[in-house]
Amino acid sequence: MLPGVTVQRPVPGSVRIVTRDELLNVLSGLRLARIAGQRAPHKPLLVLWLLGRFAATGSTSVTYADLEEPVSGLINEFGPDVTSQARARERAAMPFVHLERTLWDPRDSDGRPIASDAPERGNRLRAQGARGRLRPEVETLLADPGTLADAARLLLERYFDPTQAGRVGGAVGWDLTAPAGTVSAPARPA
């Protein structure tokens, strides 16, 4: 974990992230579901994918349909096993619906917020035209390359063992071999 970052769980919806330290604190305190006795890394994997998207495009705005396949693939590779092929294809629905609202703003095609207790079903999210993005204040903080790198490094180091962190980092395009305070991020398209 990064020095000076302590975990304090905020009351949902009560905190607006305005500083780098607040962002890192929220990222270090993501609530993880337990599946088959294992902590499920669904939320950290979604956020890492979003950070890579931000590094590449300057935005985290994405439809559920566009993130479903790549994020479900990450969860299938690095999360607990799932027995149903149908559920394996839509595993991104869980973090899409449940990621902390201090970070994430999911909405339907009419711009209505998607409740954090909505069903975790990909077909429902696709039918709603669901889309989400990290909150504007979070994206503003991530525009600083050092903050973006620290956020990625924190997620990889906090939620994955060292061997797995390197594999996860490689799968989402982050290089942990870079010096502290930096991470080699996916390049922005020309």
Side-chain angles (χ1 to χ4, degrees):
M1 182 169 347
L2 295 171
V5 175
T6 58
V7 177
Q8 298 175 339
R9 297 212 186 273
V11 176
S14 69
V15 175
R16 184 166 177 220
I17 299 170
V18 294
T19 69
R20 172 195 171 280
D21 289 342
E22 289 170 344
L23 172 61
L24 297 178
N25 186 50
V26 170
L27 291 175
S28 68
L30 294 176
R31 291 185 173 271
L32 302 185
R34 291 193 88 58
I35 298 175
Q38 293 180 350
R39 289 179 5 172
H42 299 45
K43 290 178 184 180
L45 288 168
L46 171 59
V47 175
L48 283 163
W49 186 85
L50 290 166
L51 295 179
R53 181 179 181 87
F54 185 80
T57 69
S59 174
T60 60
S61 181
V62 64
T63 64
Y64 175 77
D66 287 340
L67 73 69
E68 183 178 42
E69 183 179 331
V71 174
S72 291
L74 289 169
I75 295 168
N76 289 330
E77 185 172 350
F78 299 107
D81 291 335
V82 65
T83 56
S84 161
Q85 285 299 326
R87 286 296 292 156
R89 283 190 297 274
E90 61 179 31
R91 288 184 87 183
M94 191 275 276
F96 188 94
V97 169
H98 297 295
L99 185 60
E100 282 75 352
R101 294 309 196 259
T102 52
L103 294 169
W104 180 240
D105 185 22
R107 296 186 175 265
D108 67 17
S109 61
D110 293 325
R112 292 182 299 251
I114 295 174
S116 61
D117 61 352
E120 306 166 0
R121 297 289 179 242
N123 59 353
R124 181 181 172 109
L125 292 168
R126 285 187 305 277
Q128 289 179 307
R131 66 179 311 105
R133 74 177 306 150
L134 293 177
R135 296 202 166 274
E137 59 270 21
V138 172
E139 285 190 353
T140 297
L141 292 168
L142 294 173
D144 169 60
T147 300
L148 180 63
D150 286 346
R153 185 177 293 283
L154 180 143
L155 289 165
L156 290 166
E157 291 176 354
R158 174 141 178 90
Y159 297 105
F160 303 96
D161 67 48
T163 301
Q164 199 177 32
R167 290 182 33 236
V168 171
V172 294
W174 295 97
D175 178 7
L176 282 182
T177 62
T182 66
V183 180
S184 177
R188 287 188 179 202

